Amino acid sequence: MKVQVKFLASLYDITKVLKTELNIPDNATIKDLIQVIDTSVSPNFSKVILDDNGRLKDQYVILVNGRSIDFLNGLSTKLSNGDEVVFLPPAGGG
């Protein structure tokens, strides 16, 4: 199945990709998608957004079809064909 993936702000600087379509296995999760990104887009992407225990670092946000995975099933959120996944870096300012 295919999903649309966007990397915003500093994550664009890391991946050098703003938007891409990726093929992922049926019943893939966000964690599976991150592994696909490591192999096909940016080899160290998971090290940037995941901590040593494989959990999403607090300051990063992942949206699936506009909803934060914090309100879904976290990194275990299942993806469907045609979903849009957006990776957002820490917000700065004050």
Side-chain angles (χ1 to χ4, degrees):
M1 72 180 172
K2 294 182 180 185
V3 294
Q4 300 295 319
V5 182
K6 291 182 181 179
F7 304 97
L8 301 184
S10 62
L11 293 178
Y12 165 78
D13 295 335
I14 293 165
T15 63
K16 306 298 185 220
V17 174
L18 179 60
K19 182 177 181 180
T20 189
E21 183 175 81
L22 295 175
N23 288 311
I24 59 173
D26 290 343
N27 296 313
T29 64
I30 291 291
K31 190 132 188 167
D32 297 327
L33 173 61
I34 292 169
Q35 291 174 350
V36 170
I37 293 168
D38 271 354
T39 58
S40 64
V41 178
S42 181
N44 293 315
F45 185 73
S46 62
K47 291 181 174 137
V48 172
I49 67 168
L50 301 178
D51 66 18
D52 292 337
N53 296 313
R55 292 184 300 247
L56 185 66
K57 292 179 182 175
D58 288 339
Q59 63 268 35
Y60 289 92
V61 175
I62 302 173
L63 305 176
V64 176
N65 299 325
R67 294 189 65 206
S68 172
I69 64 168
D70 290 341
F71 300 105
L72 298 170
N73 201 19
L75 292 173
S76 297
T77 300
K78 296 261 188 206
L79 296 169
S80 299
N81 190 50
D83 280 349
E84 179 183 71
V85 181
V86 179
F87 289 88
L88 298 160

